[in-house]
Amino acid sequence: TVPDRIRNFCIIAHIDHGKSTLADRMLQLTEVVDARQMRAQYLDRMDIERERGITIKSQAVRMPWVVREGDLTGEQFVLNMIDTPGHVDFTYEVSRSLAACEGAVLLVDAAQGIEAQTLANLYLALENDMTIIPVLNKIDLPAAQPEKYAEELAHLIGCDPDDCLRVSGKTGAGVSHLLDEIVRQLPTPQPGNDGAARAMIFDSVYDVYRGVVTYVRVVDGRLGARDRIKMMSTGAVHELLEIGVISPEPIKSDGLGAGEVGYLITGVKDVRQSRVGDTVTINARPATEALGGYKDPKPMVYSGLYPIDGSDYPLLRDALDKLKLNDAALVYEPETSLALGFGFRCGFLGLLHLEIIQERLEREFNLDLISTAPNVVYRVITTDGTEVAVTNPSEFPDGKTGEIFEPTVRATVLTPNDFVGAVMELCQGRRGVLLGMDYLSADRVELRYTLPLGEIIYDFFDQLKSRTKGYASLDYEPSGEQASDLVKVDILLHGEPVDAFSSIVHKDKAYNYGVTIAGKLQKLIPRQQFEVPIQAAIGSRIIARETIRAIRKDVLAKCYGGDISRKRKLLEKQKEGKKRMKMVGRVEVPQEAFIAALSTS
Ligand code: GDP
Ligand code: MG
């Protein structure tokens, strides 16, 4: 297809504003998927995505479209719809998907208005110089207020309220008009000056049968089916086994030209060999310069993952090896914990990424896991001048720390007017620095903060929701690092440090952390035949203390507060006579007590 017949677009939206549903209608209208094959959220292929209603991996679909109204009526175009992952952890993937398109449909729920993710994605789209088509969705809802939110949208992107299209992904109203407008408003792909082939990888997915499937947008030149290709970041050369387009199933072709979007299969077995953001060129006539914007995925959050049943350790290792094939951002290495036994220290892009991996391990590999409290990566300059990246509190160079840097994020919070005070209080309590505040309309406010990542990976989102009756929304992106006054708090049981509870916290919060954990363990650990002190300490300085009295008594019954199913699971394990005791010095502690302390914290 010649470039001026191609339009590449993505849909950006806050979660639940109807992106997948609208995509479904487009697939139907363009007859790429017929009504019989149609199931809701056709593009969300992974089970977890379908259940949680979120899109994790992006996909690209080619849709033929014959314009139905106006000046171009009857003319045939090719629309490539690139589905972007919807969550903050995947900002980089989102930015690459956007970079593969000329334009974006900015979809806003007409009953909700603009939300934090709408803004964050819009900012990314604007950074990529994309054409934005503002669209209000769900106009079939009785609660829809298209007039009000058209004003809001128009104000935000600087257009006329009448330019905001109105659709319903549910009924299909307005969708054909939207497809026409995509053809009309979006620029045609412009090949660059360099004639040599260059294609940008915006996604790469491991498939059990076919190996890695790489999704690309060809920017310059042409990739032919017989070419040997070269990855420009590593110089690795691969045979092309297959090239084609997805519509909605893969269709082989003899090549992809400038402006086109499609897939490559090279027989590589690991997505790390085919990285998002990298540039593909032809080995025989390589481009001299890669396309801009490539970044190595960098884990932002670390956590220890341990099998509840220690004999599952080899299974966990195999499962991680498998998941890694499909996840260039997942890193892990073996780790042992006094409290939890053998496990892995794993690095993730963020909390959702952690949750997804843990859930996949439990679901697809049938593992029962416990994860330690997540922590961010600290950069510590020691007093002798060396630099250490601390991914585990136990590696913190106690007593030898000079400057300590922690990662920060730029957060966007959107809230109704009434809750501005509550949101500010929360952000200040988390060491946030207010960057700016804007009224989107008379009653809705955008707050921008710099916050330490370590302060929001925990329960920030839950707190935000509960303090704003669920109305506020949050999005954030990495924004560098800052020097901070951080300390490591250790928890000692009868004088022995318990590694899984060591944590790096701000100096002003150390006391609180110590008191909370010591209190929790005091309730969870059964009494021994002797008195057991539980202490929280910074280096050798004790900052909190609890005591387990010396009476022998089984307190398992009151051990586990919150999670009924976990509690039942643990009790069943015990019935099987598998109760595992850990010795911490002289103290006998059921592993379950550690697990309960970690999982309810
Ligand atoms: P996504 O998170 O942006 O992909 O949103 P989904 O497409 O999964 O939709 C979220 C929810 O909104 C689902 O329950 C949909 O059925 C519903 N929904 C989506 N579009 C419409 C619409 O146009 N009208 C109505 N009434 N509901 C819609
Ligand atoms: Mg979706």
Side-chain angles (χ1 to χ4, degrees):
T1 313
V2 292
D4 68 356
R5 291 281 138 175
I6 300 173
R7 299 292 184 271
N8 297 318
F9 75 99
C10 54
I11 305 173
I12 54 184
H14 191 73
I15 187 134
D16 283 344
H17 280 203
K19 188 174 77 168
S20 302
T21 308
L22 177 63
D24 287 350
R25 289 295 85 65
M26 290 180 167
L27 293 175
Q28 255 178 326
L29 259 179
T30 57
E31 294 172 18
V32 164
V33 179
D34 66 32
R36 201 169 38 84
Q37 297 171 300
M38 197 73 215
R39 46 178 185 158
Q41 282 102 42
Y42 191 89
L43 296 176
D44 298 346
R45 289 170 201 232
M46 243 198 278
D47 278 351
I48 294 176
E49 296 185 35
R50 297 181 65 84
E51 276 167 33
R52 295 188 172 204
I54 53 172
T55 304
I56 295 162
K57 295 299 282 187
S58 51
Q59 297 282 355
V61 188
R62 180 185 175 104
M63 306 183 291
W65 180 242
V66 179
V67 173
R68 293 192 178 175
E69 293 164 48
D71 47 334
L72 297 170
T73 302
E75 296 200 30
Q76 168 103 40
F77 289 84
V78 166
L79 307 181
N80 289 307
M81 173 167 62
I82 294 177
D83 198 18
T84 54
H87 189 274
V88 288
D89 285 2
F90 304 97
T91 302
Y92 178 64
E93 267 90 347
V94 177
S95 83
R96 293 307 86 199
S97 301
L98 298 182
C101 306
E102 277 71 32
V105 169
L106 181 67
L107 193 68
V108 172
D109 185 328
Q112 304 286 330
I114 294 161
E115 296 289 356
Q117 240 179 295
T118 324
L119 288 176
N121 285 331
L122 174 64
Y123 297 148
L124 283 177
L126 293 174
E127 279 165 27
N128 281 291
D129 286 326
M130 296 169 78
T131 300
I132 311 288
I133 302 180
V135 179
L136 292 165
N137 188 30
K138 308 198 189 181
I139 52 164
D140 61 289
L141 285 177
Q145 296 179 274
E147 307 303 327
K148 175 178 174 190
Y149 294 123
E151 287 283 346
E152 221 180 71
L153 254 178
H155 175 68
L156 179 70
I157 60 178
C159 67
D160 193 287
D162 292 335
D163 296 337
C164 298
L165 305 183
R166 287 147 201 225
V167 304
S168 166
K170 185 174 174 190
T171 67
V175 179
S176 151
H177 180 60
L178 170 58
L179 291 169
D180 284 357
E181 287 303 315
I182 288 169
V183 170
R184 251 181 233 118
Q185 294 185 28
L186 296 199
T188 61
Q190 298 294 321
N193 300 327
D194 191 344
R198 292 196 295 180
M200 189 199 60
I201 301 177
F202 62 86
D203 200 1
S204 99
V205 184
Y206 176 77
D207 179 301
V208 199
Y209 302 105
R210 304 190 296 166
V212 172
V213 180
T214 300
Y215 292 84
V216 295
R217 152 73 195 264
V218 180
V219 176
D220 305 314
R222 181 184 162 80
L223 296 179
R226 294 173 195 291
D227 288 320
R228 282 160 65 84
I229 57 162
K230 181 165 154 180
M231 303 296 182
M232 291 191 74
S233 73
T234 57
V237 175
H238 302 291
E239 212 73 56
L240 260 189
L241 302 181
E242 190 177 319
I243 189 165
V245 298
I246 308 278
S247 191
E249 300 304 327
I251 301 169
K252 280 191 220 179
S253 75
D254 58 3
L256 292 173
E260 289 195 291
V261 172
Y263 70 94
L264 313 170
I265 295 175
T266 59
V268 303
K269 290 272 175 277
D270 180 340
V271 290
R272 270 154 239 256
Q273 295 169 277
S274 194
R275 291 171 178 253
V276 171
D278 202 355
T279 302
V280 177
T281 190
I282 292 173
N283 189 42
R285 301 174 300 284
T288 47
E289 221 176 293
L291 299 160
Y294 175 71
K295 274 196 255 169
D296 272 333
K298 193 170 126 210
M300 301 292 286
V301 172
Y302 279 78
S303 169
L305 289 185
Y306 292 84
I308 288 180
D309 183 340
S311 65
D312 281 345
Y313 177 78
L315 286 179
L316 174 58
R317 188 186 52 220
D318 291 349
L320 284 167
D321 286 345
K322 285 212 178 81
L323 288 184
K324 186 176 109 169
L325 294 176
N326 197 16
D327 192 337
L330 173 66
V331 298
Y332 52 90
E333 57 182 46
E335 172 178 83
T336 38
S337 156
L338 179 66
L340 304 169
F342 292 101
F344 290 92
R345 189 90 202 149
C346 305
F348 307 93
L349 293 171
L351 264 206
L352 180 75
H353 189 208
L354 184 163
E355 268 180 53
I356 289 167
I357 296 293
Q358 184 168 0
E359 199 168 321
R360 291 189 67 182
L361 290 169
E362 294 192 336
R363 190 186 297 208
E364 294 169 30
F365 300 92
N366 216 359
L367 289 158
D368 282 329
L369 299 175
I370 178 75
S371 56
T372 62
N375 62 270
V376 301
V377 183
Y378 301 94
R379 194 165 67 87
V380 181
I381 315 289
T382 61
T383 39
D384 60 18
T386 52
E387 182 177 318
V388 194
V390 176
T391 57
N392 185 336
S394 69
E395 296 159 1
F396 193 73
D398 255 335
K400 289 191 295 186
T401 57
E403 251 186 324
I404 306 166
F405 296 90
E406 61 178 341
T408 57
V409 298
R410 180 186 187 280
T412 305
V413 179
L414 232 128
T415 176
N417 220 353
D418 301 350
F419 302 114
V420 168
V423 172
M424 288 180 129
E425 195 183 284
L426 173 65
C427 291
Q428 267 148 29
R430 301 299 176 97
R431 299 190 281 130
V433 175
L434 183 64
L435 298 172
M437 176 168 158
D438 284 302
Y439 278 79
L440 290 176
S441 57
D443 57 349
R444 277 154 39 90
V445 183
E446 175 193 0
L447 295 159
R448 292 181 301 277
Y449 272 93
T450 294
L451 283 154
L453 177 62
E455 294 279 354
I456 60 172
I457 55 170
Y458 222 33
D459 60 344
F460 184 82
F461 188 66
D462 293 342
Q463 284 289 329
L464 182 69
K465 284 287 178 193
S466 74
R467 287 173 190 223
T468 61
K469 301 206 170 97
Y471 282 113
S473 56
L474 164 76
D475 207 317
Y476 55 85
E477 57 184 29
S479 69
E481 59 174 17
Q482 68 185 20
S484 299
D485 210 349
L486 302 166
V487 294
K488 181 175 78 160
V489 180
D490 289 317
I491 303 297
L492 301 116
L493 197 57
H494 209 245
E496 297 280 332
V498 186
D499 51 11
F501 293 105
S502 291
S503 182
I504 295 170
V505 293
H506 191 264
K507 213 175 86 199
D508 298 344
K509 298 186 170 187
Y511 173 74
N512 238 327
Y513 176 81
V515 169
T516 308
I517 298 289
K520 208 179 266 177
L521 285 175
Q522 196 252 351
K523 291 195 187 70
L524 287 166
I525 295 173
R527 294 180 180 187
Q528 316 275 318
Q529 272 149 344
F530 47 91
E531 191 175 276
V532 179
I534 305 171
Q535 296 157 309
I538 300 173
S540 56
R541 188 162 56 89
I542 304 300
I543 55 168
R545 182 191 160 112
E546 296 275 353
T547 306
I548 304 171
R549 304 249 159 268
I551 299 174
R552 205 175 153 71
K553 186 176 172 191
D554 190 70
V555 291
L556 185 86
K558 61 172 185 179
C559 268
Y560 313 106
D563 188 342
I564 300 295
S565 67
R566 175 138 277 161
K567 177 178 173 180
R568 193 175 306 130
K569 223 185 254 175
L570 296 177
L571 288 172
E572 274 164 18
K573 286 248 159 84
Q574 289 202 348
K575 250 187 276 162
E576 292 161 20
K578 279 192 189 170
K579 187 163 170 178
R580 283 176 300 279
M581 288 294 186
K582 298 277 171 186
M583 293 304 291
V584 179
R586 287 172 57 212
V587 186
E588 210 174 48
V589 184
Q591 180 182 257
E592 285 79 358
F594 289 126
I595 293 170
L598 279 166
S599 58
T600 55
S601 55

